[in-house]
Amino acid sequence: MCGITGGWADEPIADAPFGASLNAILHRGPDDGGMLRDGSVVLGMRRLSIIDVGGGHQPVFNEDGSVAVVFNGEIYNYRELIPQLQSRGHTFRSQSDTETLVHLYEEYGPRMCEHLRGMFAFAIWDKSQRKLFLARDRFGKKPLYYTRTGGGGILFASELKALRPLMAAAGVAARIDEQGIYDFLSLGMVPQPRTIFQNVHSLPPGSWLSCDGERAEMQRYWQLDYSHKLRLPYGEVLERTRELISDSVKVRLRSDVPLGVFLSGGIDSSVIAYEAARQLGRDLDSFTVSTTDPAFDEAPVAARTARELGIRNHILPLQVAPLDEIQRLVRQYDQPYADYSALPTSAISRLARQHVTVVLTGDGGDEVFGGYRRYVAAQWASAFRFVPSSLTTMLAGLLQRQSGGRRSTAGFGSRFLRGLGQSPGARYLSWTTDLLQDADKQQIWTGGPMRPTEDWIEELLPRQLSAFDTQASGDIQVNLLSDLLVKMDIATMAHSLEARSPLLDHQLAEFLAALPDSQRITGGRLKGLLRDAYRGRLPDEVILGKKRGFEFSLSSWLENELRGLIMDTLGSPAARVRSFLDGRFIDNLLAGGILRDRNCACLVYALLTLELWLVDFAEGTLANEGWTAPAKCHIPKAA
């Protein structure tokens, strides 16, 4: 696990800005570092040593030094790839998974990505062909940002804070993209491939980009396909699901450093712990958050599960100080980000790093197995297709007036009915977001003309699929990609901890996407397939348990610890967010005004994080100016 940076500039980038870029991602790789210069091309990396700790220094070269790579991530099938490549005449100097990349590139060129099983973002410099090749894993677990230079070159980095010194050196301005703010107000994050900066993008998942210094070509090499369905007996589906999960966990246990599992009381992490325990037994460590609020505390269930599995369980008491943490998180995430569960996720990552260097998580289980109520809503949608929209709108209004909140049963019913008469993009927002719809934003937005967020989502959603598959595809391309995976990557890597997600193995996801809706959610049960697959293998309280997110009482934070900060920032007439939103709306929101069927606490938190980011950007604290030499920097000579 590492952080990478570099590019092909119009003129050679000086040592100081390149060093600043490397220093900005020191947390991603405190163990080692390396760089390569070849004219105007530069590659750099910071390494968190996981595989072949003593070797595997980067950049890694092929036999004659004509191909070099810097790499962030893990190639889980590297042990299988090495003998295959050796049989084709390639020589390996290490046992590092990184070295497989240069030889795969020699064999297959851009099609090398199709042979990889893992999470990755890497850059390859092909000296003989004079090409810079970038690629990202299928789901986008590992980040990779890039921008084009005026002369046709390209700059890249694992984090925006590492890209900005390179941009400044190359004369590429970092200007705020108002569309990113507009979309943020609905989604709580800036959706990829857009970023908060104009002309700065995230390389799409499952894609590669090739640049020759003047022109660039991008191509998608993988996308999850829901169109071809299997017809298998349910018993066979259960068996195949267990086989795929078991194998996915097995290859993700490959590590030369201490490894553990994040274990909550939920089905996803419990399944991962069960499969890992089958491999490691009592040598497995699991980590569970304990809170003082019984409404959110899953530690008792997790502890009982760990005892039944025969593994060690570490209860980590979690006391989040939001006032101390929020400014740090605003800077860590580089752009506006409003998922408040990032606060406890960061805290648990910091505690777990005291014990292990790698953790397995249950991330992705909700998206590939159907773990949200909106998937049940999608199944119900077809039954309402003949009901007049006027009737569903009337019923939605009645439920809305009875709603005890957006997430109450009546609130869910209201959003479900209202979404039935909407376009797919508007329905996705209606069923998914806790923040603002486009209709809300049109009344309060004071910035320039913006494209409706729902229109962009509409284009993203696949056609000719069931409502279930459409919703799942949208969640993987929007919520998972730009919120959940970003949260886990930044929260863990900020503390030099690597997180692996077995339920997002592409072979498992491809199998699940090929199943009919009725086999993924059975009898209206969320993640019914996963629960049936592990019935009798995990405690009944886990199999039958209700879904609970990794959450804390946000309303309490806003009313107490964060209240003063909110009033000093958002409450000020000089608040920068008021350049984009009607100040009367903000004043009404802070005074307790209710925007019905919206999560007002989440909205206040989103505006607070946006305001803090805007202030930091304006004051230059995100620019990472200055440079101190990275420690342990291994610098090979350019070939």
Side-chain angles (χ1 to χ4, degrees):
M1 186 62 63
C2 308
I4 62 174
T5 182
W8 192 334
D10 303 336
E11 299 290 339
I13 293 176
D15 286 344
F18 185 52
S21 179
L22 280 170
N23 198 52
I25 49 174
L26 182 63
H27 53 280
R28 299 186 76 93
D31 299 330
D32 195 8
M35 61 183 73
L36 173 148
R37 281 190 179 277
D38 188 353
S40 294
V41 173
V42 61
L43 304 181
M45 57 80 61
R46 293 297 316 179
R47 185 185 182 208
L48 179 64
S49 302
I50 304 293
I51 301 293
D52 193 7
V53 174
H57 299 295
Q58 296 185 38
V60 170
F61 296 85
N62 66 338
E63 294 90 340
D64 64 6
S66 63
V67 177
V69 65
V70 288
F71 165 57
N72 170 28
E74 300 290 347
I75 305 302
Y76 300 123
N77 62 332
Y78 77 101
R79 292 182 183 174
E80 291 75 20
L81 289 171
I82 289 175
Q84 294 176 22
L85 291 166
Q86 286 174 328
S87 70
R88 300 177 74 92
H90 295 278
T91 300
F92 280 76
R93 301 186 182 95
S94 72
Q95 290 299 308
S96 168
D97 57 336
T98 307
E99 193 170 355
T100 61
L101 298 175
V102 290
H103 301 307
L104 281 170
Y105 178 81
E106 290 180 288
E107 282 293 324
Y108 303 107
R111 296 199 64 180
M112 64 177 289
C113 300
E114 300 169 19
H115 297 263
L116 298 175
R117 185 181 183 188
M119 56 178 181
F120 52 84
F122 61 81
I124 288 177
W125 170 233
D126 184 339
K127 182 177 181 180
S128 60
Q129 297 293 320
R130 306 300 294 175
K131 284 189 177 181
L132 182 62
F133 179 78
L134 310 178
R136 193 177 182 201
D137 67 69
R138 293 169 177 83
F139 283 102
K141 300 171 193 174
K142 292 292 99 184
L144 190 58
Y145 299 97
Y146 73 94
T147 189
R148 299 299 306 279
T149 67
I154 192 167
L155 305 172
F156 67 87
S158 293
E159 296 186 14
L160 289 172
K161 64 173 63 70
L163 185 61
R164 289 187 61 194
L166 303 182
M167 293 170 60
V172 180
R175 297 190 179 93
I176 291 177
D177 184 354
E178 288 192 9
Q179 183 69 52
I181 294 178
Y182 188 84
D183 293 337
F184 168 84
L185 294 172
S186 287
L187 301 169
M189 41 68 178
V190 181
Q192 299 179 38
R194 187 183 299 280
T195 73
I196 194 61
F197 299 117
Q198 297 175 17
N199 302 317
V200 178
H201 307 281
S202 177
L203 184 64
S207 299
W208 56 258
L209 187 155
S210 179
C211 178
D212 64 5
E214 296 181 357
R215 295 172 299 277
E217 176 189 4
M218 183 186 297
Q219 186 168 313
R220 191 100 187 220
Y221 67 86
W222 184 88
Q223 192 161 9
L224 196 56
D225 182 8
Y226 294 88
S227 61
H228 302 289
K229 296 299 181 182
L230 299 172
R231 302 297 173 185
L232 299 175
Y234 192 55
E236 185 175 337
V237 169
L238 296 177
E239 182 178 357
R240 182 61 177 153
T241 298
R242 288 191 296 269
E243 290 174 352
L244 287 167
I245 294 176
S246 177
D247 182 63
S248 178
V249 171
K250 181 180 178 180
V251 297
R252 284 165 177 78
L253 292 175
R254 294 173 173 176
S255 172
D256 295 334
V257 295
L259 177 147
V261 176
F262 276 166
L263 179 62
S264 69
I267 181 69
D268 297 335
S269 64
S270 297
V271 164
I272 302 305
Y274 169 84
E275 293 293 355
R278 292 179 63 201
Q279 300 289 331
L280 301 180
R282 293 187 177 277
D283 289 334
L284 179 65
D285 289 284
S286 61
F287 301 92
T288 301
V289 173
S290 175
T291 74
T292 57
D293 188 340
F296 299 105
D297 190 17
E298 297 184 273
V301 176
R304 289 191 291 269
T305 300
R307 282 197 297 271
E308 185 157 327
L309 297 178
I311 61 176
R312 294 187 294 267
N313 184 234
H314 305 270
I315 302 295
L316 305 178
L318 192 61
Q319 295 181 337
V320 178
L323 187 59
D324 297 333
E325 294 286 343
I326 189 169
Q327 189 72 64
R328 182 182 300 114
L329 260 67
V330 166
R331 292 171 180 168
Q332 285 174 349
Y333 282 80
D334 288 331
Q335 53 185 335
Y337 183 80
D339 185 339
Y340 69 94
S341 66
L343 290 163
T345 303
S346 178
I348 186 64
S349 298
R350 181 168 56 245
L351 292 172
R353 185 61 177 91
Q354 299 172 11
H355 302 270
V356 294
T357 309
V358 178
V359 291
L360 272 60
T361 79
D363 284 357
D366 287 324
E367 288 75 21
V368 297
F369 281 100
Y372 301 118
R373 290 189 299 180
R374 52 185 176 266
Y375 293 123
V376 176
Q379 282 192 320
W380 290 347
S382 61
F384 284 77
R385 63 185 182 277
F386 299 118
V387 179
S389 59
S390 58
L391 178 58
T392 58
T393 300
M394 181 190 71
L395 292 173
L398 291 174
L399 287 174
Q400 182 176 303
R401 287 192 287 273
Q402 299 174 15
S403 172
R406 172 180 170 79
R407 299 191 180 185
S408 68
T409 300
F412 171 69
S414 175
R415 289 187 292 118
F416 164 68
L417 290 169
R418 188 173 60 248
L420 291 176
Q422 296 176 326
S423 67
R427 182 187 306 133
Y428 181 87
L429 283 180
S430 181
W431 287 0
T432 304
T433 183
D434 278 335
L435 302 179
L436 299 175
Q437 306 288 310
D438 274 299
D440 304 321
K441 292 186 292 186
Q442 289 168 9
Q443 299 179 41
I444 61 175
W445 180 259
T446 59
M450 293 291 113
R451 183 187 186 189
T453 304
E454 62 189 42
D455 286 1
W456 167 79
I457 294 176
E458 188 99 17
E459 290 185 0
L460 191 72
L461 296 176
R463 300 290 187 265
Q464 309 303 321
L465 295 181
S466 69
F468 182 103
D469 283 339
T470 300
Q471 182 69 44
S473 177
D475 279 338
I476 286 173
Q477 296 183 80
V478 180
N479 190 53
L480 179 70
L481 173 63
S482 300
D483 180 2
L484 304 181
L485 293 180
V486 170
K487 174 180 67 179
M488 187 58 69
D489 176 77
I490 296 294
T492 54
M493 292 308 297
H495 304 290
S496 306
L497 179 71
E498 174 177 301
R500 301 177 177 180
S501 309
L503 297 182
L504 284 177
D505 186 273
H506 76 275
Q507 296 176 0
L508 171 64
E510 287 170 347
F511 173 73
L512 296 173
L515 297 177
D517 302 352
S518 60
Q519 288 188 331
R520 281 177 286 173
I521 292 186
T522 57
R525 294 176 303 143
L526 299 178
K527 288 186 278 197
L529 169 58
L530 187 62
R531 296 178 191 279
D532 288 345
Y534 285 87
R535 187 179 300 276
R537 292 168 170 80
L538 287 171
D540 286 347
E541 64 178 335
V542 172
I543 297 296
L544 302 176
K546 295 182 179 180
K547 175 179 174 56
R548 289 193 294 182
F550 187 24
E551 299 179 354
F552 283 67
S553 179
L554 178 60
S555 296
S556 177
W557 286 349
L558 298 178
E559 293 167 2
N560 296 286
E561 293 95 332
L562 296 177
R563 185 63 181 174
L565 178 63
I566 291 170
M567 299 312 297
D568 288 343
T569 54
L570 292 178
S572 168
R576 296 179 183 276
V577 74
R578 293 174 184 256
S579 300
F580 304 99
L581 298 178
D582 189 330
R584 292 170 296 181
F585 166 78
I586 297 174
D587 292 336
N588 183 51
L589 185 67
L590 298 183
I594 296 176
L595 185 64
R596 187 166 291 278
D597 199 30
R598 299 292 179 272
N599 191 322
C600 292
C602 286
L603 184 54
V604 170
Y605 182 80
L607 294 181
L608 175 61
T609 57
L610 174 58
E611 175 66 18
L612 293 176
W613 187 90
L614 289 169
V615 170
D616 266 2
F617 177 74
E619 294 179 352
T621 51
L622 297 172
N624 293 291
E625 296 176 350
W627 174 54
T628 56
K632 300 182 183 178
C633 194
H634 177 80
I635 309 176
K637 295 180 180 179

